[in-house]
Amino acid sequence: MRKKILEMLKSADGDFISGEDIAEKLNVSRTAIWKHINKLKEKGYQIISKENRGYSLPEMPDILLPEIVQEELNTKIIAANLEKFIYFDSIDSTNKFAKKIANEGAKDGTVIVAEEQTGGKGRLNRDFFSPKSKSILFSLILRPNCLPKDAPKFTLAAAVSIIRAIEKFNLHAGIKWPNDIIFENKKVVGILTEMSAEIERVNFIVIGIGINANISAEEFPEDIKKIAASLSEMNGGKNILRVKFFRAVLEELDKIYSEINSDGFEKILELWRKYNVTLGNEIKIISADSGEKFFGKAVDIDEDGALIVETSDGLKTFYAGDVSIRKA
Amino acid sequence: MRKKILEMLKSADGDFISGEDIAEKLNVSRTAIWKHINKLKEKGYQIISKENRGYSLPEMPDILLPEIVQEELNTKIIAANLEKFIYFDSIDSTNKFAKKIANEGAKDGTVIVAEEQTGGKGRLNRDFFSPKSKSILFSLILRPNCLPKDAPKFTLAAAVSIIRAIEKFNLHAGIKWPNDIIFENKKVVGILTEMSAEIERVNFIVIGIGINANISAEEFPEDIKKIAASLSEMNGGKNILRVKFFRAVLEELDKIYSEINSDGFEKILELWRKYNVTLGNEIKIISADSGEKFFGKAVDIDEDGALIVETSDGLKTFYAGDVSIRKA
């Protein structure tokens, strides 16, 4: 019902439609229409009500609501129906919620999106800055048929998907191993991938993605100003439409996920190499395994997505760690 | 209170104690004692009530209740206090429950034990036969500081712990890669290890262990008779005390877990090699990765616990799969 009301308002293109007209067309009472309109207003739709004229919707709001995002969304698996798109105005952590419902059986391709996270965490339990409705915060549940050792490659694939969405907007960024999206050496997108697995198969993967969308440089807290950037900054200070960007990301994720399911990771690793800003550079890496620091030249990623570094002690392979680029 | 009543009954060594005596000693009413006694009976304690004589407990029942198991349990981390020992008379799956409470923060070393599982699963969602109170069914939550790629080694460590408990009972069994406990080529214990992890650290590991304890050969269903055995079968047809065996397993797990936390896996892999019945044999292995069959000689496990097989195409490494031994 609410979707139908929205469609009518949308097709009126900002003009007013009377409650009576809507009620008649949908065959319900005017009071019912009034109640639905109030619900839509609560959700964030800026509907104008005027006595004797009715209702008008001047523009669709830039809110990541299912009805808005899914309207023109072209995906096969990811967020492909209402059941697979869960929206929160505010939640502690989309990854936490995603893990909970995935344990209870949530489907392959389910997306949980929130305008605000009150307890959002980055990798290794680090805090994650995300002012309300200025970021794009979501978690994606995947159920691929693979081994636990394949999970890191999904995080590379997510990074590639986001870069491709960025390119669709004629903007440009790079990937720092394994999955940071980087603009002018500052981080624009953080990805936190988690999995539940048996030894010989993955139960599910949850990819949590936090995109700094319309945050100006001044808005970042002092301690992360030097290391954080946003899409609007990349866009010369102009805000981007979050709904549109979110759609593009979901579509790229969907394409790449289908590709992985049919052809494996080979092409993804190729694309990752193309977009990365780590390989070929002198880097410092702090191994997640031992906490030890290493210096050397990042030479390649292997077929598992691990980083190969040429150190003074020879080639070393890193499965996880923190990279900083010392010299391009 | 119930624990104190149990202690009094136990120290009476089968003699009767009057409700009045107990009530006086614990400073509560006789009705309160009567209620607690009823609760204990419900739990499975075979307490005898006689008018004018009071209560007696002829013997401690072989039930895996916390008060009974923890009585003489010597562990530092695993099941080390009441909060870390959760008992169910019946549950769908201890692993499922363990994953749920681990997601909600359950502590390192928490054990969930059940007399019966109504939806117990083995590896790869296979059914698991476990008649009530004749098996030892439990899940263990561990929170080691390690990478996802270390998880398979915990499953090897669990197998080694069980073998050591078996040896304490002067019985002998072997380990088939990766973690089946084998007696006369039949499986006595199944282990299902699951984990929740980020790419660069494990959140928690759940080790589900199902031990065929006092099941006679005839009791196994037709389709698994040829491949399943039990501790009582190993023990020449005599039942073992489940409580005592369970305690031994928890103590061995506790020792080995402490060892891993301080010294890593080296010694565990050595012990695994000592007890294994796979290495040196001609085997067939169905790769969990591809579903492909391979034939060859199992030559070693590597430092990650993966199986190395000498095939006609050279050495191959398997991270997960189903092994059958063709020729010793």
Side-chain angles (χ1 to χ4, degrees), chain A residues 103 123 194-195 197 200 203, chain B residues 103 123 194-195 197 200 203:
Chain A
N103 267 318
R123 284 162 48 226
E194 303 190 68
M195 68 170 147
E200 49 211 307
N203 299 325
Chain B
N103 267 317
R123 284 162 50 226
E194 304 191 66
M195 68 169 146
E200 49 210 306
N203 298 325

Side-chain angles (χ1 to χ4, degrees), chain A residues 56-301:
Chain A
S56 118
L57 179 61
E59 57 182 47
M60 288 296 265
D62 194 24
I63 302 175
L64 307 176
L65 286 162
E67 299 91 341
I68 302 177
V69 175
Q70 287 185 320
E71 174 107 17
E72 290 162 42
L73 183 69
N74 182 17
T75 59
K76 288 198 189 82
I77 300 170
I78 292 170
N81 55 48
L82 268 178
E83 192 197 349
K84 287 191 186 178
F85 196 123
I86 299 171
Y87 169 88
F88 289 97
D89 182 57
S90 179
I91 194 174
D92 56 345
S93 150
T94 57
N95 258 36
K96 202 173 152 192
F97 184 84
K99 284 189 283 180
K100 184 174 166 279
I101 64 171
N103 267 318
E104 291 160 1
K107 288 199 176 133
D108 189 28
T110 300
V111 164
I112 298 95
V113 64
E115 289 294 333
E116 179 183 52
Q117 279 192 125
T118 54
K121 291 287 177 195
R123 284 162 48 226
L124 302 173
N125 226 16
R126 289 167 191 162
D127 280 333
F128 187 79
F129 172 71
S130 56
K132 185 160 188 177
S133 299
K134 296 187 167 185
S135 310
I136 300 171
L137 309 167
F138 71 105
S139 294
L140 168 62
I141 298 169
L142 298 180
R143 296 188 177 278
N145 184 9
C146 71
L147 290 176
K149 76 182 184 66
D150 293 320
K153 287 178 281 192
F154 283 92
T155 208
L156 304 184
V160 168
S161 304
I162 293 164
I163 287 282
R164 288 170 72 114
I166 289 173
E167 305 244 303
K168 266 194 179 170
F169 277 67
N170 288 315
L171 303 172
H172 302 285
I175 306 172
K176 192 182 82 172
W177 186 85
N179 59 20
D180 284 348
I181 306 293
I182 295 293
F183 171 69
E184 292 179 351
N185 217 10
K186 293 185 286 187
K187 189 164 156 181
V188 181
V189 179
I191 301 178
L192 173 61
T193 300
E194 303 190 68
M195 68 170 147
S196 162
E198 294 179 21
I199 299 302
E200 49 211 307
R201 72 157 180 196
V202 162
N203 299 325
F204 59 80
I205 289 177
V206 167
I207 305 177
I209 298 180
I211 303 170
N212 297 334
N214 298 323
I215 308 174
S216 67
E218 300 78 47
E219 274 176 284
F220 284 111
E222 212 47 56
D223 57 327
I224 61 168
K225 233 170 215 169
K226 277 185 195 159
I227 54 168
S230 67
L231 296 177
S232 61
E233 227 178 305
M234 290 168 64
N235 196 27
K238 267 177 61 188
N239 278 357
I240 55 110
L241 273 171
R242 293 187 309 141
V243 166
K244 228 173 137 187
F245 190 80
F246 186 36
R247 251 185 231 133
V249 170
L250 293 177
E251 286 170 358
E252 291 303 324
L253 281 166
D254 192 70
K255 260 187 248 165
I256 281 179
Y257 186 45
S258 293
E259 213 159 82
I260 291 170
N261 284 336
S262 58
D263 302 329
F265 285 98
E266 211 173 311
K267 199 179 154 198
I268 309 305
L269 295 182
E270 251 346 287
L271 286 169
W272 188 93
R273 285 189 185 94
K274 177 181 161 192
Y275 294 122
N276 96 88
V277 294
T278 303
L279 302 183
N281 295 323
E282 293 293 326
I283 63 159
K284 178 178 92 178
I285 180 165
I286 302 169
S287 161
D289 209 344
S290 62
E292 257 183 289
K293 267 182 222 164
F294 294 91
F295 296 89
K297 187 178 171 183
V299 289
D300 201 4
I301 49 170

Side-chain angles (χ1 to χ4, degrees), chain B residues 80-186:
Chain B
N81 54 48
L82 269 178
E83 192 198 349
K84 287 191 185 178
F85 196 123
I86 300 171
Y87 169 88
F88 289 97
D89 182 56
S90 179
I91 194 174
D92 56 345
S93 150
T94 57
N95 258 35
K96 202 172 152 193
F97 184 84
K99 285 189 283 180
K100 184 173 165 281
I101 65 171
N103 267 317
E104 291 161 2
K107 288 197 175 136
D108 189 28
T110 300
V111 164
I112 298 95
V113 65
E115 289 294 333
E116 179 182 51
Q117 279 192 123
T118 55
K121 292 288 176 194
R123 284 162 50 226
L124 303 173
N125 226 16
R126 289 167 190 161
D127 279 333
F128 187 80
F129 173 71
S130 57
K132 185 159 188 177
S133 298
K134 295 188 167 185
S135 310
I136 300 171
L137 309 167
F138 71 105
S139 294
L140 168 61
I141 298 169
L142 297 180
R143 296 188 177 278
N145 184 10
C146 70
L147 290 176
K149 76 182 184 67
D150 293 320
K153 286 178 282 194
F154 282 92
T155 208
L156 304 185
V160 168
S161 304
I162 293 164
I163 288 281
R164 287 170 73 113
I166 288 174
E167 305 243 304
K168 266 193 180 170
F169 277 67
N170 288 317
L171 303 173
H172 302 284
I175 306 173
K176 193 182 80 172
W177 185 85
N179 59 20
D180 284 347
I181 305 294
I182 295 293
F183 171 70
E184 291 179 353
N185 217 10
K186 293 185 285 186

